[in-house]
């Protein structure tokens, strides 16, 4: 009986370790991309000098992203564009144990950009488990919780911890958002469903994001999950070339679509610089 208990204990321990490993993502084999000369963000706008786009990336000894050089400055819409690219805009990524702080800066005294401070909590596989977005108006501060299954993100739940709630008021409710993630057999993100919840029930706005026309190339954005504009790209094995966002609000429906034409080498790998 004693030996049987020992065997069962070892079996449980082995299963536990195996399950934890299943939830881990092997980032060591992902490319260490140090320069990208195109914008792969889903929220791309019109840059007046798009031909000058040249993002540079720096990493620490653990191959974690520490700096992204290159960003945008807002310009007058009267120009026909909404921003201008600048290599003086940069984003820093500072790590302390399992915490990461992300902030924006401008490398000059002539201009100031919003820091947009974000605090992340990471797990042992460097995947995001929590994200805190502070706001000068306390009730607008957000907390996001990330859920995984077999190493893939399945849901992000957004809440407002400082927002007041009066349960005796029939018109009041606890506001949260849920975004669920869906993948194909090749581990590429195909769709997300972002839903507004009132006391846990589907109400108000819903956004469906679809990701299509994947290539077979490696993904240069895999290590960039902390770069907000590349977050969706970081979740897939390959690169989507079509993005569609459909917003539903009661009877109102609006759709925006974005496409990319990437350049590839003879092996079918994406050329980033």
């Amino acid at each position: 009986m004693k030996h049987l208990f020992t065997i069962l204990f070892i079996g449980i321990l082995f299963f536990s370790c195996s399950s934890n490993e299943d939830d881990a993502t092997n980032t060591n084999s992902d490319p260490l991309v140090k320069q990208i000369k195109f914008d792969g963000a889903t929220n791309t706008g019109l840059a007046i000098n798009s031909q000058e786009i040249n993002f540079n990336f720096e990493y620490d000894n653990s191959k974690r992203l520490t700096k992204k050089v290159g960003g945008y400055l807002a310009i007058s819409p009267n120009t026909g564009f909404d921003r201008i690219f600048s290599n003086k805009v940069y984003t820093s990524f500072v790590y302390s144990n399992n915490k990461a702080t992300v902030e924006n800066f401008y490398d000059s005294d002539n201009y100031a950009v919003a820091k947009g401070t974000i605090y992340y909590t990471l797990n042992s596989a460097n995947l995001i488990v929590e994200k805190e977005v502070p706001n000068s108006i306390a009730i607008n501060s957000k907390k996001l919780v990330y859920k995984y299954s077999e190493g893939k993100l399945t849901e992000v739940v957004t809440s407002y911890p400082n927002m007041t709630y009066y349960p005796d008021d029939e018109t009041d409710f606890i506001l949260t958002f849920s975004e669920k993630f869906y993948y194909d057999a090749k581990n590429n993100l195909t769709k997300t469903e972002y839903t507004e919840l009132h006391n846990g029930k589907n109400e108000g706005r819903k956004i469906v994001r679809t990701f299509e026309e994947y290539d077979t190339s490696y993904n240069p954005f895999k290590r960039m999950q902390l770069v907000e504009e590349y977050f969706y790209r970081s979740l897939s094995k390959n690169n989507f070339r079509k993005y569609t966002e459909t917003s539903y609000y009661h009877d109102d429906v609006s759709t925006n679509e974005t496409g990319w034409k990437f350049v590839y080498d003879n092996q079918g790998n994406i050329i980033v610089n």
Side-chain angles (χ1 to χ4, degrees):
M1 191 71 177
K2 178 179 180 183
H3 293 297
L4 177 60
F5 177 80
T6 303
I7 292 170
L8 288 173
F9 176 76
I10 292 173
I12 293 170
L13 181 62
F14 176 78
F15 177 79
S16 176
C17 293
S18 299
S19 299
N20 289 337
E21 288 174 1
D22 286 342
D23 286 339
T25 299
N26 182 10
T27 58
N28 288 330
S29 61
D30 296 330
L32 206 64
V33 177
K34 295 188 176 181
Q35 185 183 68
I36 294 179
K37 289 190 174 182
F38 62 83
D39 195 335
T42 56
N43 58 347
T44 52
L46 295 175
I48 196 170
N49 60 338
S50 58
Q51 72 283 355
E52 296 179 15
I53 291 176
N54 184 22
F55 297 104
N56 289 276
F57 305 90
E58 299 176 10
Y59 304 84
D60 62 15
N61 293 333
S62 299
K63 298 182 179 180
R64 296 177 302 186
L65 183 64
T66 58
K67 191 174 185 180
K68 170 182 172 278
V69 179
Y72 296 99
L73 301 173
I75 58 176
S76 170
N78 294 331
T79 62
F81 299 87
D82 56 8
R83 57 188 184 168
I84 185 170
F85 178 83
S86 172
N87 59 11
K88 291 187 179 296
V89 177
Y90 69 92
T91 304
S92 74
F93 305 81
V94 179
Y95 303 89
S96 177
N97 297 321
N98 67 329
K99 304 290 186 180
T101 301
V102 180
E103 293 181 315
N104 300 313
F105 298 92
Y106 187 75
D107 194 14
S108 172
D109 295 331
N110 299 328
Y111 197 90
V113 298
K115 277 192 173 183
T117 306
I118 298 175
Y119 302 106
Y120 290 96
T121 301
L122 311 175
N123 64 14
S124 58
N126 281 324
L127 298 175
I128 303 170
V129 292
E130 285 188 0
K131 172 182 176 182
E132 295 181 47
V133 186
N135 192 290
S136 57
I137 302 175
I139 61 172
N140 291 332
S141 295
K142 296 188 294 185
K143 180 179 180 180
L144 290 77
V145 176
Y146 294 65
K147 302 177 182 181
Y148 297 87
S149 176
E150 297 182 350
K152 291 196 289 283
L153 181 66
T154 57
E155 186 179 14
V156 176
V157 178
T158 303
S159 62
Y160 296 83
N162 300 322
M163 187 170 287
T164 55
Y165 169 58
Y166 301 99
D168 294 333
D169 183 349
E170 294 182 356
T171 64
D172 201 8
F173 54 85
I174 298 174
L175 175 65
T176 57
F177 293 88
S178 167
E179 184 165 20
K180 295 185 177 180
F181 295 72
Y182 303 89
Y183 304 83
D184 62 18
K186 296 181 179 179
N187 292 323
N188 289 321
L189 180 67
T190 57
K191 181 178 71 171
T192 75
E193 295 180 347
Y194 182 87
T195 308
E196 180 178 338
L197 305 176
H198 296 180
N199 291 337
K201 296 181 180 179
N202 295 355
E203 296 284 351
R205 190 181 182 194
K206 178 180 180 180
I207 301 173
V208 177
R209 299 179 171 100
T210 56
F211 309 83
E212 302 173 278
E213 297 183 9
Y214 276 92
D215 60 20
T216 57
S217 167
Y218 78 93
N219 183 353
F221 301 96
K222 287 288 286 183
R223 295 181 182 275
M224 302 180 187
Q225 63 167 331
L226 299 187
V227 182
E228 282 211 293
E229 57 266 36
Y230 299 146
F231 175 72
Y232 291 110
R233 285 201 177 277
S234 74
L235 300 175
S236 296
K237 178 181 179 181
N238 307 118
N239 307 283
F240 60 83
R241 290 172 287 193
K242 180 181 177 182
Y243 169 74
T244 305
E245 182 175 305
T246 303
S247 178
Y248 302 87
Y249 187 71
H250 300 298
D251 293 331
D252 295 330
V253 180
S254 61
T255 300
N256 292 307
E257 185 178 296
T258 304
W260 294 263
K261 292 183 178 179
F262 298 135
V263 179
Y264 300 89
D265 62 19
N266 293 332
Q267 284 72 45
N269 287 321
I270 192 169
I271 297 174
V272 297
N273 51 41

